[in-house]
Amino acid sequence: MNSLPQVSQVAQTIQLALAPVFLLAGIGAFLNVCVGRLARIIDRARLLEGKILISRGREHDRMVAEIRVLDRRMSVVNSAIFLTVMSAGAVCLVVILLFAGNLFGAHLGTLIAILFSLSMLLQAAAFGTFIQEIRLASRIIHIRNEVLYHEAEAEEAS
């Protein structure tokens, strides 16, 4: 009447948990990308905040429009981060339940499948949100014509 799991059972559970653990590594890499984008957005917003207060005219209007888009991008990327962390949390629960089911002989297959599916749905939503942030960024990033077609003034003849 040995209630402790055999080494082979634990090894089998570790093998089953390996795929979700690799998934966690991928989720972590995606999270790193999102946090990096958020940091760049914040840096750009801080730079514009200082310039906006002293700007005038068309330049002021351009900066205000850009900072509004940056604010929207921050919200969107924060949503992607939230969804990604929730996805990672669901994967962690899958791993925990795999071990709990093995250790206690519980039949948790349905719950594990639901949690894994939930994790994939959350991650898919995070990817969709991330694409939305990229589209927002690409809409505002363009080089103005006055910069593109600016010609250096000819040096005055001495």
Side-chain angles (χ1 to χ4, degrees):
M1 189 161 163
N2 189 0
S3 64
L4 294 176
Q6 297 295 316
V7 172
S8 62
Q9 286 179 300
V10 173
Q12 184 181 21
T13 305
I14 290 172
Q15 287 174 342
L16 283 174
L18 206 54
V21 169
F22 277 118
L23 177 60
L24 276 176
I27 289 172
F30 178 70
L31 193 56
N32 191 34
V33 169
C34 288
V35 169
R37 288 188 71 89
L38 180 60
R40 301 260 332 236
I41 294 166
I42 290 170
D43 289 345
R44 178 68 181 157
R46 285 184 180 154
L47 178 73
L48 281 179
E49 281 177 351
K51 291 180 176 182
I52 246 174
L53 299 176
I54 59 173
S55 65
R56 300 286 178 262
R58 285 182 26 203
E59 189 65 14
H60 175 77
D61 295 342
R62 186 188 66 77
M63 282 193 246
V64 168
E66 183 178 349
I67 208 158
R68 286 180 180 154
V69 172
L70 290 171
D71 185 59
R72 178 73 181 125
R73 285 179 61 198
M74 277 190 260
S75 296
V76 171
V77 80
N78 271 324
S79 295
I81 290 169
F82 174 78
L83 291 166
T84 301
V85 170
M86 293 302 294
S87 174
V91 172
C92 288
L93 284 174
V94 165
V95 172
I96 289 167
L97 291 176
L98 281 170
F99 278 97
N102 191 350
L103 285 173
F104 304 116
H107 300 286
L108 302 172
T110 302
L111 181 58
I112 289 169
I114 290 169
L115 275 173
F116 190 78
S117 297
L118 176 65
S119 173
M120 292 296 95
L121 287 172
L122 288 166
Q123 194 57 50
F127 288 147
T129 306
F130 184 69
I131 273 295
Q132 182 184 4
E133 191 276 326
I134 289 172
R135 291 181 53 91
L136 278 169
S138 64
R139 265 192 268 160
I140 191 132
I141 298 172
H142 55 83
I143 300 171
R144 296 173 290 159
N145 284 337
E146 59 263 22
V147 174
L148 280 174
Y149 300 107
H150 179 76
E151 294 181 16
E153 294 179 26
E155 291 184 34
E156 291 181 32
S158 303

